[in-house]
Amino acid sequence: MINIYGKVRELAREGRPAVMGTIIRQAGPAPRGLGAKFLVMADGSIFGTIGGGALEGQAMAEAPKVLAAGRPETLEFDLTGVDVAETDMLCGGEVAVFLEPVSARDEAHAALAGRVVKALQRGGSGGLLVTVLNPERWGADQAPKFFMAGDGTRTGYGAEDRALGAALEPRLEAILAKPQPVLLSAADDSGALLDLFVEPVVGRTVLYVFGGGHVSQQIVPFAARVDFPVVVIDDREEFANPRLFPDAQETVAMEFPGVMQKLPIDEAAYLVIVTRGHMHDKTVLEQALRTNARYIGMIGSRRKRDIIYRKLLEEGFTEEDLARVHAPIGLDIGAETPAEIAVSIVAELIAARAGSPSKEG
């Protein structure tokens, strides 16, 4: 979401219109999940994806009409039938894609995009992004969308509507807790029933990679491609080098002792420990276990893990503490090369982010 709304803000600054496509409903398997988005620019180029294939192609074909009309359109796809005949899309579900115009003249929409980006960058549960799906509510250069913060305050077009606010406030906490987009119906102040697509705006989890060696240099681009903002930390200047990690959000030269106290580690953080040796791995791990990070993973063999675990148990850590650690890190796919190891690690990060059950250690 942060990339899409960052792009919306950029397009507004450049005075370029576009059409945003969002998957608002799906039943059964589909190429992408609820809330997946892409942008179709006036020149036909795209940014992001809703899954490719016939679905994305038909959405792209409709985009110029939406842009010209200045009103949204909802496209319905049956991925089991004629919509995907003679294509390679065999997902087998039903999908609805909402196409909305993004006007370069809609200053409120641009400001709202900036509000979403800021909430995502700050981390944590920022609030709800609410989009009115009823085409008749869309005016010239005015998108009926608003942001509801965690404290209930609202900004954007429609934010002043008390009835909509009253309908959403009791659901705010539950939607943010899940968090998955939902379709809702609610009456506005005039009594008209509106269809709403409500998206939780939850700050992206930051991936901290400790160690700047060969495996890290493979992990970072893979992780960045799947929307993990990455911070790389190494105690050697030559390895804490931004040129080695062009996809990282930040590269930091920092001694490993006391490193966690200098980083904003919270319950949304992912920690990957791939330093150059057992001693440094243990130094980072014992600090990681004192944080509430969502994910902690350490590279190395089971023998190495057991040696480090024994020392930590002697120092007062518990078996329950150690059960938090993914070690050896990564899914078991028989990885051997640095690139293969990176694939296994990032795959495990994706699984953890999606809430998949943890593997056995």
Side-chain angles (χ1 to χ4, degrees), residues 214-215 218-219 222 333 335-346:
H214 296 303
V215 173
Q218 297 292 332
I219 291 171
F222 286 143
I333 59 173
E336 294 184 0
T337 67
E340 291 173 346
I341 293 168
V343 168
S344 75
I345 292 171
V346 175

Side-chain angles (χ1 to χ4, degrees), residues 149-165:
D151 61 3
T153 57
R154 287 167 279 148
T155 55
Y157 178 78
E160 71 288 345
D161 195 293
R162 293 183 179 182
L164 289 180

Side-chain angles (χ1 to χ4, degrees), residues 319-332:
E319 293 286 358
E320 184 178 0
D321 292 330
L322 300 180
R324 296 177 58 200
V325 186
H326 294 252
I329 195 173
L331 299 183
D332 186 2

